[in-house]
Amino acid sequence: MSSLAVYNSLSRRKEPFEPLKPGRVSMYVCGITAYNYFHVGNARAFVAFDVIRRYLKWRGYDVHYVQNFTDIDDKILKRATEEGVPMQEIAERYITAYFEDADRLNIMRADEYPRATHSLDGIQRLIHELEQGGYAYPAGGDVYYAVRQFPEYGKLSGRKLEDMQAGASGRVDVEEEAECKKDPFDFALWKSAKPGEPAWESPWGPGRPGWHIECSAMVRDTLGETIDIHAGGVDLQFPHHENEIAQSEAVTGKPLARYWLHNGFINIDGEKMSKSLGNFRTARDLLASYDPMAFRLFVCQAQYRKPVDFTQEGLDAALSGWRTLESALLFGSRFSKQLDLSENALEADLDSEAVSRFREAMDDDFNTSIALSVLFELAKELNRQGNLLIHQGKTDASTDVLGRQWRTLIDLAKALGLEVRSTSEIPTGEISATAGPATAGIAGRPLSNSEIESLIGQRAAARKARNFAEADRIRQELAAQGVLLTDQPDGTTLWHWQDS
Ligand SMILES: [Zn+2]
């Protein structure tokens, strides 16, 4: 029987998986910053780690799964200002939307969802400890992490500070507060509040935490000083996860995580998805007209670390693949009159050959791509037998064999979260059939005036940045919602409802 091997981004190789406590796995996945619907790249990450979690459970581990919500952030604040509402209102809106979309994708609920605003004690404690240890310094109401005090900085991403300075001035994110920092690579742990911004009291004055420190504190609060798996998209490896390591390990002197898992990007039609390219696609927008299970299948067709090309052909192929699986998953109920495959038989034994091939594939760093081939073999055979039943009135395999294949398919598909859900099980949050990407409005209810003004503001900003593709996208998005724009010679934009 195979044993589980996992690619660890930290060591850059596959390692045998040995959790800290035998039989138990603590797992932390970086969640959304709640200022928008999550995009298909995020959806891939959440599905990929949900599959890993389900597989660990299938393999008998007791998995404790934590995913955070960042509900304090510059992007949330910006959106709140644009809409003229409190930051909390924006965060609540997109946290609710997160659950609607994640439920649709059959992503299991985490055991805990810590939020930055609920973790201020742990955050301030960690900053204080970093200060005590000489890893942090206050400057102008902010507090910064002194990157050069942590000799192991760069160990996760394999970057060296010297190299970054030498070659890549354009790529390094120099924060606005640069003038307060002692070193351009230092990053903010605590940001002083500008007038009118939400702020929390602290020993360094009123302000709010930086993004990286939130995760370090929430991991420690919920799972302890060393966890088994820390996961996120490959875009989080640097600087976010590198900074988490620097913060947590400087204080505890212990490894933050035994295994670091990073999933690959989604490219859209061969290009990296980004807002500036105008090919940004939310999961909500996709799922308005696409089967969530087909999307799960689409994600599982690639091993989770590999990049995925998001194309219409790929989506069409995944949808037809899902129809094949779906029909086979329903085999027992479709032919319950002809074959006696009773419900309690679901407890009976499985096809051990198929199970061991599935397990071998998944044990090799969660190779869902090969694992799926086992599912498709079972599904195609069941569907063939189904056709024989329909056309010839009999199968050419015994009921026992068919029952075993059917149960095996259900069991293995469930380990990947591929399940046929009756309509009543599928969450029915409102979803727009016509909404474009990043749309504030939801079908059945027109956009509010402030949502329209906000989108017009975003479009003006895009035009100012000469990002005409984005500007045009927003215009089309509004048109799809029945809002027409008229640009005035003085640069302002008027709008009206299509039929008024
Ligand atoms: Zn994080």
Side-chain angles (χ1 to χ4, degrees), residues 28-31 68 70 211-212 214-216 230 236 240-241 244:
Y28 184 92
V29 176
C30 290
N68 71 297
T70 293
W211 172 40
H212 312 300
E214 294 173 8
C215 279
S216 278
H230 194 127
L236 296 182
H240 184 55
H241 290 162
E244 280 189 47

Side-chain angles (χ1 to χ4, degrees), residues 112-269:
E112 289 178 74
Y113 288 102
R115 296 184 186 195
T117 54
H118 301 169
S119 312
L120 267 304
D121 288 344
I123 290 168
Q124 294 195 3
R125 176 181 157 214
L126 201 51
I127 298 174
H128 176 70
E129 286 167 328
L130 285 168
E131 219 180 358
Q132 300 274 297
Y135 294 96
Y137 60 91
D142 302 336
V143 181
Y144 292 96
Y145 188 94
V147 166
R148 286 182 199 279
Q149 294 301 308
F150 187 68
E152 291 179 82
Y153 192 81
K155 69 177 176 180
L156 177 66
S157 56
R159 297 179 190 220
K160 291 196 174 73
L161 291 176
E162 303 76 55
D163 298 346
M164 286 195 274
Q165 268 170 323
S169 54
R171 295 209 311 266
V172 173
D173 250 348
V174 181
E175 297 191 25
E176 286 173 31
E177 307 88 345
E179 59 274 20
C180 295
K181 297 196 250 184
K182 290 181 184 164
D183 186 292
F185 292 105
D186 293 351
F187 57 88
L189 298 169
W190 188 261
K191 300 176 180 191
S192 63
K194 298 186 186 80
E197 285 183 356
W200 286 262
E201 281 309 319
S202 86
W204 314 281
R208 60 201 157 92
W211 172 40
H212 312 300
I213 196 74
E214 294 173 8
C215 279
S216 278
M218 289 188 271
V219 169
R220 193 191 199 187
D221 283 355
T222 55
L223 296 170
E225 295 188 334
T226 298
I227 65 172
D228 293 308
I229 296 177
H230 194 127
V234 69
D235 51 326
L236 296 182
Q237 188 168 344
F238 186 87
H240 184 55
H241 290 162
E242 194 74 63
N243 291 353
E244 280 189 47
I245 288 178
Q247 295 162 156
S248 299
E249 298 189 4
V251 163
T252 66
K254 296 173 191 163
L256 172 55
R258 292 167 65 78
Y259 302 91
W260 286 87
L261 271 52
H262 293 101
N263 72 282
F265 274 126
I266 274 198
N267 297 316
I268 296 202
D269 293 320

Side-chain angles (χ1 to χ4, degrees), residues 89-110:
E89 190 177 320
I90 300 289
E92 290 301 332
R93 182 198 304 163
Y94 291 107
I95 288 171
T96 303
Y98 168 85
F99 285 120
E100 289 169 1
D101 294 343
D103 288 352
R104 236 170 246 137
L105 287 163
N106 204 22
I107 292 168
M108 287 172 67
R109 293 279 174 117

Side-chain angles (χ1 to χ4, degrees), residues 272-314:
K272 193 181 162 218
M273 186 177 67
S274 78
K275 281 192 169 163
S276 57
L277 285 172
N279 61 1
F280 182 85
R281 186 103 191 253
T282 64
R284 176 162 294 223
D285 170 43
L286 173 72
L287 299 181
S289 56
Y290 191 72
D291 191 316
M293 281 298 147
F295 182 76
R296 276 192 88 95
L297 181 63
F298 177 78
V299 168
C300 289
Q301 279 170 340
Q303 196 270 355
Y304 80 97
R305 287 191 291 121
K306 300 243 161 49
V308 162
D309 208 14
F310 187 88
T311 61
Q312 192 56 50
E313 299 78 66

